[in-house]
Amino acid sequence: MSISDWFKAREARRYTAVNGERVAGDVPDGVWSKCSSCKRIVYEGQLVANLRVCPHCGNHFDLTAFERIDLLADPGSFAEFDAGVGSTDPLGFVAAKPYTVSLESARERSGLTEGVVVGRATIGDHPVVLGAMDFRFIGASMGSAVGEKIARSFEVATSERRAVVLCTASGGARMQEGMLSLMQMAKTSAAARRLAEARLPYISVLTNPTMGGVTASFAVLADVVLAEPGALIGFAGPRVIEQTIKQHLPKGFQSSEYLLEHGMVDEVVVRGQLTARVTTLLGYLAGGGERA
Amino acid sequence: MTRRHVMEFERPLVELEAKLGELRQLELTANPELAAEVAALAVEIEALRESTYADLSAWDRVQISRHPDRPKAQDYLAAIFTDVVELHGDRSYGDDEAIVAALATIDGRRVAVLGHRKGKNTRENIARNFGMAHPEGFRKAMRIMRLAEKFGLPLVTLIDTPGAFPGIEAEERGQAWAIAESLSLLSGLHVPVIAVGIGEGGSGGALAIGFGDRLIMLENSYYSVISPEACASILHKDAGKAAEVATCLAMTATDLVGLGIVDEIIPEPVGGAHRDPGEVFGEVRGRISAALAALSGSDPDELVSMRYAKLRAVGVIEEVQG
C-alpha cells in the first residue's frame, strides 16, 4: 500500500459512518435522495439507519432540530421549554418579501416557532439543557427569539446546575431584526459566561453550516468545541471573503478539518460517535474528578 | 484649495455653491440686474442648505459617518485625553493597528481606552486596514480589558469600524473566536464601561468592543447588524438599494434609542462632526465624564449584574400559539 493509499484509507475510516441503532421503520420503498457530495443515490431507509450520513462517502446530511435531539438525548428524556417563544417583526422589515411572511412560511414548513429547540434532558444520565438549531427556519439565524432561548438555556442550566449541550447550525445574525439581532450576540455570550462562572460544563457541536454572529458568540465559547465532518464553519461567508480579497479560496477553507488543523476546535466527530463522545466528555467535566 | 469630499445628498447644494462662487468672481457693479440674480441665488442656497441638512435619512447619515474628514479615534485621544500611553500587541501574533489601546486621563480620571482606528489618508488606512480588525486586534483589546479589570480602571471605547475584516488569515486565526471571547470578557468586567459610537458601527467587529454600562452615539454615527450595501445585495441582489435598506435596518442613533439599545445621543454641528470637530470633542468629553462620574463608586458586582440585565432586556419576542 502506497502512502497516499494509506491516507485515503484513513480518511475513509474517519468519515465512513458507523451504523446507528435505528432501523428503517415505515419508510416507503423507493424514496431516495442524491448525496450532495458524491452525487450517488441513497435510499431513505439507508439514510435513516445511517443517521443521515451517506453510506458511500460519509457526507453528513443536515438534521432537523428534533432529529438532532433524538440522536443525543437519552430516550424519552427530552422536555422542551419555551416552545412558543417566537420573533415578531419589530422593525416592520420589508425586503424582497415582508419579514412576517418569512416567519409565517418558516413556521408552516418546519412546524417550529423558531430556529432553535431547547429543553431539559439527560445524556448518558447526565442532566443537561440540550438545544439544537434548525437550519430550515430562516437559516436558523439569530434574532430576538433565538437569542432569548439560548440565554434562557444557560440560565436554566445555571440555576438547576445542569450542563449545556448546544448543536449549532446557522447563517448568523438575523438581519431582519437589525440591531436587536446583533445585540443577541452579546446577550448569549454574557449568559454563557455566567454558566462558566458557576463552573458548569458547556459542550458545543458545530454542524453545517455555522457562520457569522452565531459562531462569533455563544457557539465557540464552550469548554469543549466539537464539529461534524465537512461542516462549513466561520465568521465571514466564503463569498464575502472572495469579493473582499478578490481571490479564490483554498479547497476545504472553513471546513471542520481546516479549523481542527488551525487549533479552533477540539475534535471532529462523526455522527455515529457523537453521543458517546458527548457522554464521555460530560463524565469528565460534570463528574468532578477526584472531588467526586 | 484642497478638494472637498462631497457626499451624495449634498451634491446639489455644493454645485449651486460653486456656481455662486463663479458668479461672484465677475465684475457686478456695472450690472445691477445680474447682481440681483446673484443675491437671489444666495438666498436660495441658504434655504437649500437648511433643508439638505435638516431631515437626514439613514443613508445620508451613513455617508456622514464615513466622511474622510470625520474625527477619528486618535483625534479624540489627542483632544480629550491627557497623559496618553498607547499599548501595543496581543502577545501572541502581532500588533493590529486597526485597534488602538491606551491608558489615558480624562478630566482627572484615569481610564483605559479602546477604539477602532481608521486612517486619515490612504497610507494610514492601508496600515490600519481601514479600521477593520483581525483577531489579533480583538485579542489586544482583551489584554487591555483584563488590565482595566485588574487595576480597577474604567473602560472607554470608541466605536468606528466598517466591520471585522473578512479575509483568509482572519478566519485562520479565529476571527469568530476572538470576537466571541471579547463579548464574553466585556460583559463580565467589574469596572464601568462607556461605549461611544463616533462613526461606523459595523456588525460583530463593532460589538466586540461596542457595548457597556452606557452606550452613547454621535447623532450621525450608525450601528448595524450588517452594512446596508451587503444587506441590499443579499436581499435584493442589488447593492444600489442600500439607501432603502438603511432605513429598514433601523441603524441610526434615534432608531436605536427607540429600541432601547442606545442611552444617549450627542448632537453634531450642522452637516456633521467634521464641520466643527472642536465643538464635538467638547461635547463627547463632557458626556464621557458625566457617565464616568455617575458610575464611579458603583459596587463592582452590581455593575456586572446591571450590565447583564441591560443586555438581557434587548429583544422583542412573543408567545406564538402552536
Side-chain angles (χ1 to χ4, degrees):
Chain A
M1 183 190 268
S2 75
I3 282 285
S4 70
D5 286 343
W6 182 84
F7 272 110
K8 265 185 211 145
R10 193 182 68 153
E11 285 294 289
R13 272 205 309 282
R14 272 170 78 191
Y15 299 149
T16 304
V18 178
N19 282 323
E21 285 164 25
R22 269 183 291 180
V23 285
D26 49 1
V27 179
D29 287 341
V31 176
W32 54 270
S33 356
K34 195 167 166 185
C35 174
S36 63
S37 176
C38 71
K39 314 288 178 208
R40 282 155 85 175
I41 300 298
V42 191
Y43 288 96
E44 181 66 17
Q46 269 180 304
L47 258 187
V48 171
N50 211 25
L51 308 174
R52 307 202 82 76
V53 175
C54 174
H56 307 297
C57 71
N59 176 35
H60 284 52
F61 287 51
D62 290 355
L63 292 186
T64 66
F66 279 108
E67 283 171 338
R68 182 68 64 182
I69 287 162
D70 279 348
L71 174 72
L72 281 166
D74 294 341
S77 73
F78 185 76
E80 188 177 2
F81 57 76
D82 293 329
V85 170
S87 272
T88 63
D89 179 22
L91 308 185
F93 197 94
V94 176
K97 59 183 167 184
Y99 178 39
T100 45
V101 172
S102 307
L103 277 173
E104 229 168 83
S105 66
R107 279 171 192 157
E108 237 163 68
R109 251 180 304 137
S110 65
L112 304 171
T113 31
E114 260 302 333
V116 67
V117 175
V118 296
R120 294 176 183 83
T122 59
I123 297 176
D125 292 329
H126 295 285
V128 299
V129 169
L130 173 61
M133 303 181 90
D134 198 311
F135 198 76
R136 297 170 302 162
F137 198 101
I138 319 183
S141 50
M142 178 160 66
S144 299
V146 169
E148 181 68 19
K149 290 175 86 168
I150 297 289
R152 286 191 198 176
S153 297
F154 288 117
E155 287 174 347
V156 166
T158 306
S159 72
E160 297 176 10
R161 303 220 44 93
R162 290 167 179 266
V164 172
V165 177
L166 294 178
C167 304
T168 63
S170 175
R174 189 172 293 169
M175 56 193 169
Q176 294 91 332
E177 291 180 44
M179 271 302 280
L180 292 169
S181 293
L182 191 74
M183 294 304 290
Q184 303 306 314
M185 291 171 63
K187 177 166 130 182
T188 54
S189 299
R193 186 180 186 84
R194 291 161 83 89
L195 181 90
E197 278 166 358
R199 290 176 182 271
L200 291 162
Y202 166 29
I203 296 167
S204 67
V205 182
L206 312 182
T207 77
N208 187 52
T210 298
M211 299 301 293
V214 166
T215 317
S217 64
F218 69 91
V220 301
L221 291 172
D223 298 298
V224 176
V225 181
L226 304 177
E228 281 204 325
L232 183 75
I233 300 160
F235 176 65
R239 227 173 22 142
V240 173
I241 298 175
E242 282 188 340
Q243 282 166 3
T244 307
I245 63 172
K246 317 259 189 282
Q247 281 174 42
H248 285 295
L249 298 172
K251 201 164 174 281
F253 181 67
Q254 296 182 317
S255 67
S256 306
E257 295 74 17
Y258 169 93
L259 290 167
L260 181 68
E261 193 184 314
H262 287 278
M264 294 300 148
V265 300
D266 287 288
E267 195 183 4
V268 178
V269 182
V270 295
R271 195 170 284 164
Q273 289 168 2
L274 186 61
T275 310
R277 187 48 108 213
V278 170
T279 304
T280 305
L281 285 168
L282 287 173
Y284 278 107
L285 305 180
E290 283 287 329
R291 286 174 292 167
Chain B
M1 199 181 105
T2 53
R3 242 181 81 223
R4 185 177 152 200
H5 176 86
V6 178
M7 295 176 283
E8 208 176 286
F9 68 93
E10 56 177 12
R11 181 153 295 132
L13 176 67
V14 171
E15 278 166 7
L16 275 185
E17 277 175 339
K19 211 161 147 195
L20 182 66
E22 278 168 30
L23 286 173
R24 280 187 171 149
Q25 300 292 313
L26 302 172
E27 187 54 59
L28 294 176
T29 40
N31 194 340
E33 224 170 89
L34 190 57
E37 252 179 65
V38 169
L41 184 60
V43 171
E44 199 184 311
I45 284 174
E46 274 322 299
L48 183 61
R49 191 193 315 281
E50 211 161 282
S51 67
T52 298
Y53 296 115
D55 218 358
L56 295 175
S57 71
W59 183 237
D60 298 338
R61 293 189 199 276
V62 168
Q63 291 171 63
I64 298 178
S65 78
R66 292 172 178 169
H67 196 288
D69 299 335
R70 189 170 178 84
K72 307 288 192 294
Q74 72 268 22
D75 300 322
Y76 287 92
L77 264 173
I80 68 179
F81 295 91
T82 55
D83 283 338
V84 177
V85 183
E86 192 183 337
L87 302 174
H88 295 276
D90 72 339
R91 300 296 185 271
S92 166
Y93 181 82
D95 184 42
D96 188 346
E97 290 195 38
I99 296 275
V100 59
L103 300 174
T105 305
I106 180 166
D107 290 335
R109 218 181 279 277
R110 293 190 183 94
V111 297
V113 182
L114 286 172
H116 301 98
R117 178 158 55 185
K118 289 184 180 173
K120 282 224 167 294
N121 50 48
T122 309
R123 195 176 50 83
E124 274 185 9
N125 263 324
I126 288 169
R128 295 166 186 180
N129 201 26
F130 299 84
M132 293 183 283
H134 280 73
E136 51 273 22
F138 298 117
R139 291 183 177 127
K140 170 163 79 173
M142 282 189 263
R143 258 193 70 219
I144 272 56
M145 289 178 200
R146 289 194 191 96
L147 212 88
E149 170 89 2
K150 184 173 177 183
F151 298 105
L153 298 168
L155 179 65
V156 176
T157 74
L158 304 169
I159 309 160
D160 187 14
T161 180
F165 187 65
I168 294 179
E169 293 84 4
E171 295 291 320
E172 234 168 48
R173 299 199 285 271
Q175 188 71 291
W177 279 253
I179 292 171
E181 283 158 14
S182 192
L183 295 174
S184 164
L185 188 55
L186 190 54
S187 76
L189 292 183
H190 291 81
V191 293
V193 180
I194 316 293
V196 187
I198 57 170
E200 293 192 82
S203 194
L207 189 67
I209 62 164
F211 67 96
D213 304 306
R214 295 281 189 284
L215 179 52
I216 303 170
M217 278 177 75
L218 286 185
E219 186 187 347
N220 295 314
S221 63
Y222 79 83
Y223 209 159
S224 179
V225 67
I226 185 170
S227 80
E229 290 94 335
C231 188
S233 68
I234 293 170
L235 293 177
H236 298 283
K237 314 268 176 260
D238 177 8
K241 296 214 165 150
E244 195 181 302
V245 167
T247 306
C248 249
L249 282 167
M251 56 203 274
T252 67
T254 313
D255 292 330
L256 297 172
V257 167
L259 292 173
I261 292 169
V262 166
D263 302 296
E264 292 177 42
I265 302 175
I266 301 179
E268 291 183 32
V270 172
H274 58 284
R275 293 295 184 86
D276 187 354
E279 185 192 322
V280 176
F281 294 145
E283 194 64 35
V284 170
R285 172 188 180 157
R287 298 293 188 100
I288 293 174
S289 276
L292 287 170
L295 292 166
S296 101
S298 303
D299 175 65
D301 290 330
E302 190 71 10
L303 272 175
V304 176
S305 44
M306 272 163 44
R307 197 178 308 137
Y308 185 68
K310 205 166 140 70
L311 286 175
R312 202 59 195 75
V314 178
V316 180
I317 52 165
E318 63 175 357
E319 276 292 323
V320 179
Q321 301 304 315

